[in-house]
Amino acid sequence: MRETAAGPRVLLKRLRELMAEPMEPQERLDRIVREIAQNMVAEVCSLYILRADSVLELYATEGLNPKAVHMAQLRLGQGLVGTIAASARTLNLSDAQKHPAFAYLPETGEEVYHSFLGVPVLRAGRTLGVLVVQNRTQRHYREDEEEALETVAMVIAEMIATGDLARLTRPGIELDLSRSVSLKGLSFNDGVGLGHVVLHEPRIVVTNLFNEDSDREMERLETALSSLRLSIDDMLSRRDVAFEGEHRAVLEAYRMFANDRGWVRRLEEAVRNGLTAEAAVEKVQSDMRARMLHMTDPYLRERMSDFDDLANRLLRQLMGRGPDALAEIVPKDAILVARSMGAAELLDYPRERLRGLVLEDGTPTSHIVIVARALGVPTVGQVKGAVSMSENGDAIIVDGEDGQVHLRPQADIEAAYAEKVRFRARRQQLYRTLRDKPAQTRDGVPIELLMNAGLAVDLPQLAQSGADGIGLFRTELQFMVAFTFPRVEAQERLYREVLDAAGDKPVTFRTIDIGGDKVLPYFKGAQHEENPALGWRAIRLTLDRPGLLRTQIRALLKAAGGRELKLMLPMVTEVDEIRQARAIIDREVRHLSRFAYLLPTSLKLGAMIEVPSLLWQLEELMKAVDFVSVGSNDLFQFVTATDRGNTRIAERFDPLGVPFLRLLRQIVRAGQAAHTPVTLCGELAGRPISAMALLGIGYRSISMAPASIGPVKAMVRELPLGRLAERMEEMLANHGARTDIRAELSAFAREHDIPL
Ligand code: PEP
Ligand code: MG
């Protein structure tokens, strides 16, 4: 057995030169495999590439029969090469022919070679091909040789990803990398976007793969690792996580991984072999992801994904990719693809270039999704595998209507979607023509259609949608996208901006609804809770921390000086909480008037009905407030004991069922009896069919996402409300029988030509 002639650094240097030289792709591949064989003192070096039809085709070889190139083929899972590709694992064998998976391909003439080292060609955890070296003698390849071959494989993966090999494919046969795939997820925000992939998590490019100076590169790696560790220690020592809990457990795991010798050693080895620190992180991360894809144990998968997060953090440290750099890399029709993302991170991207968002995780009510909805970005979530299947710049379609994602779509799909986009545009045009028309039913009943908002970016929608006002301004969004508590001046500025934009239209500000799933990372007071949705949140939290509420009230009072101020309190459980909040408000009013500030001309205080216990205090409640607003998202979750963020049970119970509709009707009737205005601002208001049901049981004011105003108004204008009300009365009186109200409503709409 001969020793390795030159180390992997020399080989990488040669590869870099080869990749820089102008030459035909086939010649480049031939020279690359020759170079690898020489460097590793192997008699054979072959490269197999995975095609879209799941066949591995021999693309280049040194040592096997050259006539077999582009002829020799193995299916995924077939033979040693197919096994490596299917499992994404390296095989190191001293006598390959004894391996049970060995498949002999006569055209290659490989029977004389015994030892075999094959590594998967991976990119972001996805297998693109297999790289093999073989020797006649029965030798076992050393660990450093395995490592070296894996590193080379990574370089080849970059070459494939940059499209260099696409020219070598025969017509009609594509590489797996360019295969079109359709992925199914969940619709998080309506809309259709056609554009090109932008991977949110950094992925390195071929230009910065190789290092010039290993020692310097090692220093960069060590520096980045140290600051990563420091930042984790820092997070751990903060008061809000300085106790047991899930958050802490994740950070502890991060700390363990950041100090994990195995991980660090593999990073260092890759750098020593000639990669840049970034490329080293990506290489190790890619191996990790490949393993993750084949892992079924949910606990282990979760831990692996912690590693993945950690690697992303490290990459960001190394690449210094901040918001400023985004403007340069984001195309005009960007579709963001991410595993998960913070709400603030989304706002770093220029809105006018965003056509869509694809998330591997996320739930319909997670922060990122709320912000995406506020921005009007078509969003599909829970799309497993989206990140590893995508490459920056790939064509992609996001269908937020059906929860579908089409990567590298074929021409017919693209044409179908272009048609769908045109159709939607025509519908939008119709909604625009309705914009200035009144929302009045066919039998002449006026309906108030309000919109939900929460950020300054929402404001132009008020005019564009034709909404009658803002029925729910979620003030906590400003807190959620900030890095520290927004100061009173910043709060006042935003509220003033909102009121200015609204002009004569009414605006209802909801006091901050944090806690539960709306976590503020900088808020030190929160403790880990077993059931956060039932925990210390919203009005409960602000009554316990009156400073927070006082500041916000002061900002609101000042911003609304000289005009009307409408305020509402979230998650009220007992009427007495309203009295307590009112005391705080009164105190602020007195304070401001003492200093001669211009006060609001009138102040209306309302409560949200989200907690079922209010249903048994309706009479007192209606007297205690100027208006109520039903938060149907929370109310439904509490009434049916169904976590609103849990996708597994999201479709299990229908809010358009008898119990929930009866309950909503009870609220609106209590409002009528007490002459207290009632509105509803949950997601239920935004779908034409459920909005129709609400009108049918007596609601005359509803608040929804701005994009829903058009479709809901189109429904309202065709609705014979009197007839619907009678019909619903019957449906809800139908004791015992299981009435499919949704189906009956659809039938009613069809009968009366109501667009749903
Ligand atoms: C609701 O619960 O229905 C509501 C409108 O509030 P949020 O979705 O912000 O909790
Ligand atoms: Mg709520």
Side-chain angles (χ1 to χ4, degrees):
M1 186 182 90
R2 284 183 292 166
E3 273 300 306
T4 304
R9 280 193 65 78
V10 179
L11 177 56
L12 283 187
K13 188 160 174 287
R14 278 296 298 138
L15 292 186
R16 173 163 46 170
E17 285 159 12
L18 277 174
M19 280 161 77
E21 266 177 59
M23 66 181 97
E24 285 301 305
Q26 186 65 53
E27 189 191 345
R28 198 190 312 278
L29 278 190
D30 293 344
R31 288 182 53 185
I32 285 176
V33 289
R34 195 174 317 142
E35 206 64 61
I36 299 170
Q38 263 172 23
N39 181 279
M40 298 196 62
V41 200
E43 279 114 22
V44 173
C45 175
S46 316
L47 174 66
Y48 297 82
I49 308 264
L50 185 61
R51 300 191 322 214
D53 55 358
S54 297
V55 166
L56 288 142
E57 176 179 321
L58 182 65
Y59 258 62
T61 185
E62 167 73 13
L64 297 185
N65 182 357
K67 291 209 175 69
V69 171
H70 296 299
M71 302 308 288
Q73 300 179 354
L74 286 154
R75 270 180 292 105
L76 199 61
Q78 185 196 9
L80 298 176
V81 168
T83 303
I84 293 166
S87 63
R89 292 284 194 134
T90 294
L91 270 184
N92 183 350
L93 307 167
S94 52
D95 196 352
Q97 284 148 37
K98 293 232 173 76
H99 193 282
F102 181 80
Y104 173 54
L105 296 180
E107 66 271 32
T108 59
E110 65 180 329
E111 63 277 19
V112 294
Y113 304 104
H114 288 281
S115 47
F116 174 104
L117 172 63
V119 299
V121 176
L122 294 175
R123 185 168 161 82
R126 181 171 177 206
T127 304
L128 304 183
V130 173
L131 183 64
V132 177
V133 291
Q134 289 171 280
N135 282 83
R136 279 172 206 271
T137 52
Q138 290 192 10
R139 59 164 297 203
H140 195 80
Y141 297 93
R142 291 187 315 269
E143 214 179 298
D144 61 310
E145 289 174 304
E146 252 183 51
E147 190 72 36
L149 199 63
E150 285 173 5
T151 305
V152 172
M154 179 177 165
V155 176
I156 290 175
E158 289 293 326
M159 236 179 103
I160 303 174
T162 48
D164 206 25
L165 302 191
R167 282 165 51 207
L168 297 182
T169 56
R170 268 164 291 156
I173 299 180
E174 277 179 297
L175 294 187
D176 188 59
L177 186 82
S178 41
R179 175 165 56 105
S180 1
V181 270
S182 294
L183 303 165
K184 183 83 187 105
L186 296 177
S187 160
F188 283 173
N189 191 32
D190 195 16
V192 173
L194 276 74
H196 292 91
V197 170
V198 171
L199 289 164
H200 172 63
E201 281 97 17
R203 198 172 282 178
I204 52 145
V205 289
V206 76
T207 47
N208 57 7
L209 268 180
F210 311 99
N211 75 48
E212 300 285 344
D213 174 349
S214 280
D215 292 339
R216 219 185 56 208
E217 205 57 25
M218 201 67 93
E219 263 171 43
R220 280 188 68 224
L221 178 69
E222 292 307 334
T223 314
L225 273 169
S226 308
S227 38
L228 180 73
R229 287 179 192 130
L230 274 178
S231 71
I232 295 170
D233 286 347
D234 189 42
M235 284 192 269
L236 268 166
S237 64
R238 282 199 339 224
R239 255 196 353 172
D240 53 337
V241 288
F243 42 76
E244 293 312 308
E246 202 178 349
H247 191 172
R248 187 176 178 87
V250 169
L251 286 174
E252 292 277 15
Y254 277 10
R255 174 149 73 182
M256 197 176 79
F257 292 151
N259 289 294
D260 181 291
R261 274 318 298 160
W263 189 58
V264 174
R265 190 190 52 74
R266 295 177 64 198
L267 292 172
E268 287 170 352
E269 199 146 296
V271 168
R272 218 171 290 121
N273 281 347
L275 292 181
T276 56
E278 289 90 331
V281 178
E282 175 152 312
K283 175 182 180 297
V284 173
Q285 185 183 26
S286 192
D287 297 347
M288 209 64 102
R289 281 208 188 134
R291 250 183 275 165
M292 200 155 80
L293 288 180
H294 294 91
M295 211 168 256
T296 46
D297 181 326
Y299 177 77
L300 286 180
R301 274 185 74 106
E302 202 48 50
R303 295 283 75 85
M304 282 291 191
S305 91
D306 289 344
F307 256 129
D308 202 46
D309 269 350
L310 200 64
N312 281 329
R313 276 167 192 268
L314 192 53
L315 269 182
R316 282 205 197 98
Q317 297 256 12
L318 285 162
M319 298 170 82
R321 196 178 120 175
D324 299 345
L326 288 178
E328 286 161 36
I329 54 168
V330 177
K332 280 208 239 359
D333 57 356
I335 294 193
L336 283 177
V337 180
R339 211 159 60 74
S340 59
M341 195 194 259
E345 288 178 297
L346 180 62
L347 291 167
D348 286 340
Y349 289 89
R351 167 65 191 99
E352 66 283 1
R353 299 197 202 167
L354 286 186
R355 295 278 182 278
L357 171 66
V358 178
L359 298 171
E360 290 203 357
D361 295 345
T363 60
T365 46
S366 52
H367 307 160
I368 168 80
V369 175
I370 290 176
V371 173
R373 216 174 286 141
L375 295 173
V377 178
T379 304
V380 178
Q382 301 272 329
V383 192
K384 298 294 169 223
V387 172
S388 40
M389 297 302 280
S390 310
E391 283 296 331
N392 274 319
D394 277 352
I396 181 172
I397 297 171
V398 176
D399 182 345
E401 200 175 286
D402 294 338
Q404 296 248 25
V405 173
H406 304 280
L407 253 174
R408 302 174 287 272
Q410 295 196 340
D412 51 346
I413 296 218
E414 216 168 294
Y417 269 95
E419 182 48 41
K420 190 164 176 169
V421 166
R422 274 195 293 276
F423 173 76
R424 291 178 63 93
R426 279 198 296 276
R427 230 172 33 189
Q428 289 302 327
Q429 182 59 35
L430 168 76
Y431 299 149
R432 268 196 294 279
T433 61
L434 291 183
R435 188 173 54 197
D436 300 319
K437 298 207 171 124
Q440 201 172 62
T441 63
R442 209 193 288 173
D443 42 2
V445 181
I447 306 293
E448 187 179 44
L449 301 183
L450 303 163
M451 69 170 231
N452 297 344
L455 294 167
V457 290
D458 297 332
L459 298 177
Q461 298 278 355
L462 190 52
Q464 285 161 20
S465 68
D468 295 317
I470 297 178
L472 165 66
F473 190 86
R474 290 182 163 105
T475 59
E476 65 277 4
L477 289 194
Q478 183 187 22
F479 289 70
M480 278 160 58
V481 301
F483 297 102
T484 57
F485 275 112
R487 304 178 67 88
V488 65
E489 296 80 16
Q491 294 183 41
E492 185 187 332
R493 211 176 310 125
L494 173 65
Y495 305 149
R496 196 182 289 282
E497 203 180 326
V498 174
L499 289 167
D500 288 348
D504 294 338
K505 294 180 175 179
V507 178
T508 303
F509 290 97
R510 170 172 78 184
T511 59
I512 41 174
D513 182 10
I514 51 170
D517 66 326
K518 295 170 183 164
V519 191
L520 305 183
Y522 51 83
F523 180 51
K524 303 282 197 278
Q527 293 198 0
H528 171 71
E529 295 179 307
E530 198 68 39
N531 290 301
L534 307 177
W536 195 52
R537 50 177 291 205
I539 182 84
R540 302 169 182 183
L541 188 152
T542 44
L543 285 178
D544 290 357
R545 289 275 189 281
L548 213 64
L549 188 58
R550 266 202 303 272
T551 309
Q552 182 175 36
I553 302 282
R554 187 170 300 181
L556 283 161
L557 287 169
K558 282 166 122 182
R563 31 193 176 186
E564 179 182 76
L565 175 61
K566 281 183 86 177
L567 268 180
M568 71 178 171
L569 310 168
M571 287 285 291
V572 174
T573 311
E574 293 182 340
V575 174
D576 192 60
E577 289 166 325
I578 301 166
R579 189 193 53 75
Q580 293 175 45
R582 203 185 277 279
I584 294 176
I585 298 169
D586 288 347
R587 221 185 90 166
E588 277 315 305
V589 171
R590 283 198 300 276
H591 174 84
L592 290 183
S593 61
R594 222 179 8 249
F595 290 94
Y597 277 101
L598 180 62
L599 287 171
T601 50
S602 75
L603 196 154
K604 295 219 163 75
L605 183 63
M608 291 190 74
I609 302 187
E610 298 181 290
V611 181
S613 82
L614 274 190
L615 300 171
W616 291 275
Q617 308 167 68
L618 281 176
E619 243 178 82
E620 298 90 327
L621 172 73
M622 295 296 175
K623 286 202 192 100
V625 292
D626 299 306
F627 65 95
V628 297
S629 183
V630 181
S632 54
N633 304 339
D634 274 315
L635 186 58
F636 187 70
Q637 101 162 327
F638 296 133
V639 164
T640 55
T642 308
D643 181 346
R644 64 191 265 188
N646 186 335
T647 46
R648 184 162 183 174
I649 47 175
E651 310 264 299
R652 196 173 183 101
F653 305 110
D654 191 350
L656 294 191
V658 172
F660 199 57
L661 286 176
R662 278 186 186 160
L663 177 157
L664 293 176
R665 186 178 60 179
Q666 188 189 343
I667 297 172
V668 84
R669 285 186 178 166
Q672 285 159 357
H675 302 288
T676 304
V678 175
T679 178
L680 182 144
C681 59
E683 300 306 308
L684 213 52
R687 306 243 151 72
I689 188 165
S690 49
M692 187 169 99
L694 292 172
L695 304 186
I697 56 171
Y699 284 79
R700 295 294 175 263
S701 168
I702 47 180
S703 192
M704 63 202 80
S708 295
I709 298 275
V712 169
K713 195 191 271 190
M715 174 277 292
V716 166
R717 289 175 58 83
E718 297 302 328
L719 179 67
L721 182 54
R723 295 195 31 200
L724 173 70
E726 280 167 27
R727 199 64 171 262
M728 289 208 64
E729 201 58 32
E730 285 162 25
M731 287 184 227
L732 295 185
N734 193 352
H735 300 288
R738 269 182 73 104
T739 317
D740 187 345
I741 296 191
R742 195 173 280 276
E744 292 221 18
L745 289 171
S746 301
F748 182 87
R750 271 195 307 276
E751 269 168 48
H752 296 89
D753 278 332
I754 301 168
L756 286 188

